[in-house]
Amino acid sequence: MTMDARSNQNRSANPGMPDAPAKYRAYPQVNIPDRTWPGKIIDAAPIWCSVDLRDGNQSLVNPMGHDRKARMFQLLLDMGFKEIEIGFPSASQTDFDFARWCVEQGNVPADVSLQVLVQCRPELITRTFESLEGSIKPIIHFYNSTSELQRRVVFNKDVAGIKQIAVDAAKMITDMAEKAGGGYRFQYSPESFTGTELDVALEICNAVIEEVKPTADNKLIINLPSTVEMATPNVYADQIEWMCRNIDNRENIIISLHPHNDRGTGIAATELGLMAGADRVEGTLFGNGERTGNVDVVTLALNMYTQGVDPKLDCTEIERIKEVYEYSNQMVIPERHPYVGELVYTAFSGSHQDAINKGMKAIKVANDPHWEVPYLPIDPQDVGRTYEAIIRINSQSGKGGIAYILNQDYGLNLPRGLQVEFREDIQRITDEEGKELPSKAIYERFLERYVEQPGARLQFVEHHSHTDSSNKQVRMVEAEIVDNGETKRIDGRGTGPIDGFVNALSSYLGIDMTVANYSEHSLQHGSNAAAICYMEMESPAGKVFGVGINTNIVAASLAAVVSAANRYLEMQASA
């Protein structure tokens, strides 16, 4: 068989994709049978380091200018980051100038460390120290790539040569820090750690540790980046646990994670890495970064928060965080992004809406501080969002969602039967229009169909009632209605004004109507307090609802009877 024939055969068996086993290899597993991380939980926040102004910035189509950087920097301070990587000052004048601005004018609190990145090259290290003169406890973050692929393809060096680069840089940096009077902190990254054999990564990191000589008062940060996410999250966790077990001077080492999201599992890899013993996380707001991005520290923080752990980052103003992110990065956050996306607290599905509606009602009366609402793992108010957009209505929506919107936005408590009846009307509209129906449109349709009823035959005007002089158990009712534009007076008698009016209207129309169900409540929407009455009327033709609104509850009830009668007449006309 020719090569072309084999190629065609493969495409036929698996159309659209080349033969994976021939082109890709599975990532090797870590031999650590007594791993402990699967049984661990995250019960405390890590040390957070934002790399938005460096790793995030270098991935932008239009890198930040000073104003965009300054606004992002202030946000990061306000959120509570204690370590912020502000740039790569030896790589560009822009980054150098911004580092000087942070030191001189950035109003950096004394407990915040500015971090800068530098390659293990002497001339770059010298320039980096110049950028940080006058700063308080800054972090010099030096790195070199250690992976087998880069050793072979990029640098053409063996392990000893790569290790020497790291050790020489560590010596130069610590010497320069000492000459500058001390006060510096140090961080080393074996870049492309996930592509580096574990024994090689350990050997290089231990050599750097021996040169830096970290102490309890000045711990060395060993950052183990998933520069390119290459395997499932459990493998990264195994790598971290293995390094934590085997690294020298562990008590004076801060193990840091710097995950990327190439496989779409950066969040999971970070959480498992923390379970595996890491102390620190580097990431960006909402995951901006090279390729598919860095790990999203906001999602990580709020994941912890929903598990009852204080993340030590203030995410209560999620809309402000989103606004600054989009301004500074000139990127738009997707509608479905966890916690911040426009639609993440919104339900369109009818079953979801019904469950949320019931959950919101239950939590109001529950004597329990814990948040428990179906489909909402976090209270939107905790991140500065409101309940207004939790439920939105389209053709997939149900009665519970419509009822929730009318209750939350307009104070209406529709009885279940009316929810079912009105839902059919709204679904007909959304099916015809093929789009979402806003809250105002739903409310206006409710008023049009049940209260105002433009073009309807009947209108309620007023009524008077008094006790029958011959039987004090009976009320006599006199009412004025409008029938097709003409004012009419109708009279009836019953056990009360509603019963008497129903009898009068039934006699006038020749329809045997009775009250099947009745409910009412005060209505505090708009400038005038009023009462709303929901009247379910029954006749030989079936049941139908009417609604009345009036400052007088009896008048509202009688208006609801007329509303129901209009709907009977409409049904008869269309039959």
Side-chain angles (χ1 to χ4, degrees):
M1 183 180 291
T2 67
M3 183 179 297
D4 287 344
R6 285 195 299 270
S7 177
N8 289 335
Q9 186 181 55
N10 285 340
R11 280 199 295 270
S12 177
N14 186 18
M17 292 296 295
D19 187 8
K23 190 168 187 178
Y24 299 98
R25 287 175 291 188
Y27 193 90
Q29 302 295 296
V30 179
N31 183 21
I32 181 170
D34 60 340
R35 59 180 60 83
T36 62
W37 63 261
K40 302 289 182 64
I41 63 170
I42 300 173
D43 56 9
I47 301 166
W48 298 107
C49 177
S50 160
V51 293
D52 290 87
L53 294 167
R54 197 276 304 170
D55 210 347
N57 184 52
Q58 75 183 34
S59 68
L60 298 177
V61 175
N62 298 305
M64 301 180 207
H66 177 81
D67 289 344
R68 287 157 58 199
K69 274 191 173 183
R71 190 167 172 185
M72 175 67 78
F73 182 65
Q74 186 59 53
L75 173 66
L76 298 172
L77 292 176
D78 293 343
M79 290 178 67
F81 282 95
K82 300 304 181 185
E83 298 178 4
I84 302 173
E85 190 165 271
I86 55 174
F88 202 150
S90 63
S92 75
Q93 188 64 41
T94 300
D95 273 20
F96 184 92
D97 292 343
F98 184 73
R100 294 310 306 154
W101 178 86
C102 288
V103 173
E104 297 169 356
Q105 303 176 51
N107 298 316
V108 181
D111 62 345
V112 172
S113 291
L114 300 178
Q115 177 172 304
V116 293
L117 184 71
V118 62
Q119 291 173 317
C120 294
R121 291 166 53 187
E123 70 279 11
L124 302 183
I125 292 171
T126 300
R127 180 71 165 161
T128 298
F129 271 88
E130 292 172 2
S131 74
L132 290 173
E133 288 180 8
S135 59
I136 301 172
K137 296 189 73 174
I139 301 171
I140 304 290
H141 178 192
F142 61 105
Y143 76 97
N144 65 316
S145 190
T146 60
S147 73
E148 187 279 332
L149 180 62
Q150 294 217 35
R151 295 196 310 265
R152 173 167 45 87
V153 173
V154 179
F155 300 107
N156 193 26
K157 285 183 179 292
D158 59 12
V159 172
I162 295 294
K163 180 172 69 174
Q164 194 62 50
I165 292 172
V167 171
D168 289 347
K171 177 173 174 50
M172 180 177 181
I173 287 168
T174 51
D175 286 348
M176 290 188 69
E178 185 177 357
K179 290 177 182 177
Y184 288 86
R185 301 172 60 198
F186 310 108
Q187 173 174 327
Y188 172 68
S189 289
E191 194 212 1
S192 59
F193 164 75
T194 47
T196 305
E197 311 92 315
L198 279 176
D199 57 342
V200 171
L202 181 68
E203 179 183 345
I204 295 172
C205 287
N206 280 342
V208 169
I209 292 168
E210 184 178 357
E211 183 64 44
V212 174
K213 297 179 176 56
T215 66
D217 293 331
N218 193 4
K219 295 184 178 183
L220 170 64
I221 302 168
I222 293 292
N223 190 50
L224 303 175
S226 176
T227 306
V228 178
E229 189 176 41
M230 304 170 73
T232 51
N234 61 298
V235 174
Y236 188 53
D238 281 346
Q239 291 173 316
I240 300 305
E241 180 163 340
W242 192 92
M243 289 292 289
C244 287
R245 289 186 184 192
N246 292 285
I247 203 163
D248 291 344
N249 202 1
R250 175 67 178 95
E251 67 275 12
N252 294 322
I253 300 297
I254 295 171
I255 296 293
S256 176
L257 309 177
H258 182 111
H260 280 250
N261 196 45
D262 298 88
R263 292 171 52 92
T265 57
I267 293 288
T270 305
E271 291 178 332
L272 298 189
L274 289 172
M275 294 177 194
D279 311 296
R280 181 179 184 267
V281 172
E282 292 189 344
T284 60
L285 303 183
F286 309 122
N288 174 46
E290 299 282 8
R291 302 176 309 281
T292 58
N294 288 55
V295 72
D296 175 355
V297 292
V298 176
T299 296
L300 279 169
L302 290 173
N303 282 355
M304 293 178 195
Y305 181 70
T306 63
Q307 301 302 302
V309 176
D310 181 358
K312 304 298 183 182
L313 286 180
D314 186 354
C315 300
T316 55
E317 295 184 78
I318 201 81
E319 287 300 305
R320 181 199 168 201
I321 299 171
K322 176 183 178 182
E323 176 191 352
V324 174
Y325 170 93
E326 293 187 336
Y327 167 78
S328 294
N329 292 325
Q330 296 186 357
M331 298 176 68
V332 177
I333 294 176
E335 294 175 333
R336 296 294 182 186
H337 194 104
Y339 298 109
V340 69
E342 180 184 347
L343 297 179
V344 297
Y345 304 107
T346 301
F348 291 103
S349 161
S351 61
H352 288 206
Q353 292 174 343
D354 184 60
I356 291 170
N357 186 23
K358 290 173 180 174
M360 295 295 286
K361 288 179 179 177
I363 207 165
K364 288 180 180 178
V365 298
N367 186 26
D368 189 338
H370 293 101
W371 175 257
E372 290 183 316
V373 175
Y375 302 110
L376 290 177
I378 190 173
D379 183 347
Q381 289 191 331
D382 288 345
V383 290
R385 296 285 284 267
T386 69
Y387 298 135
E388 293 174 4
I390 288 179
I391 290 175
R392 287 162 61 173
I393 305 301
N394 63 14
S395 61
Q396 304 300 307
S397 305
K399 63 183 184 306
I402 294 167
Y404 178 87
I405 280 181
L406 291 177
N407 177 261
Q408 290 294 308
D409 294 354
Y410 300 101
L412 307 183
N413 296 320
L414 272 60
R416 179 176 174 79
L418 181 53
Q419 293 177 26
V420 174
E421 185 179 289
F422 186 50
R423 191 262 179 184
E424 294 175 358
D425 185 57
I426 293 299
Q427 186 169 34
R428 177 186 56 78
I429 295 172
T430 54
D431 282 341
E432 289 174 356
E433 297 184 0
K435 61 184 180 181
E436 179 187 356
L437 203 60
S439 169
K440 182 180 179 183
I442 295 169
Y443 178 64
E444 289 174 348
R445 175 57 182 168
F446 179 82
L447 294 181
E448 177 186 16
R449 188 177 190 200
Y450 293 100
V451 181
E452 297 165 353
Q453 297 183 311
R457 174 178 163 182
L458 304 174
Q459 288 179 280
F460 171 76
V461 180
E462 62 177 358
H463 84 289
H464 302 282
S465 69
H466 58 274
T467 304
D468 187 346
S469 57
S470 61
N471 184 348
K472 296 191 180 298
Q473 302 301 314
V474 174
R475 298 286 296 181
M476 305 298 294
V477 177
E478 300 172 356
E480 184 178 307
I481 63 172
V482 173
D483 185 354
N484 281 328
E486 294 185 20
T487 301
K488 303 287 184 178
R489 173 179 165 175
I490 59 175
D491 302 300
R493 50 189 285 135
T495 57
I498 297 174
D499 186 41
F501 181 77
V502 170
N503 289 336
L505 190 60
S506 295
S507 176
Y508 176 77
L509 295 174
I511 301 174
D512 185 15
M513 296 189 299
T514 58
V515 176
N517 281 295
Y518 165 92
S519 63
E520 51 84 14
H521 62 81
S522 61
L523 186 64
Q524 300 288 337
H525 181 72
S527 57
N528 297 318
I532 184 168
C533 174
Y534 312 99
M535 192 75 69
E536 186 178 22
M537 303 296 295
E538 188 170 13
S539 80
K543 294 181 179 180
V544 71
F545 275 92
V547 180
I549 298 176
N550 199 291
T551 54
N552 179 286
I553 186 57
V554 176
S557 303
L558 304 189
V561 172
V562 171
S563 167
N566 277 325
R567 300 196 57 243
Y568 270 130
L569 295 170
E570 180 184 336
M571 290 164 59
Q572 285 183 338
S574 61

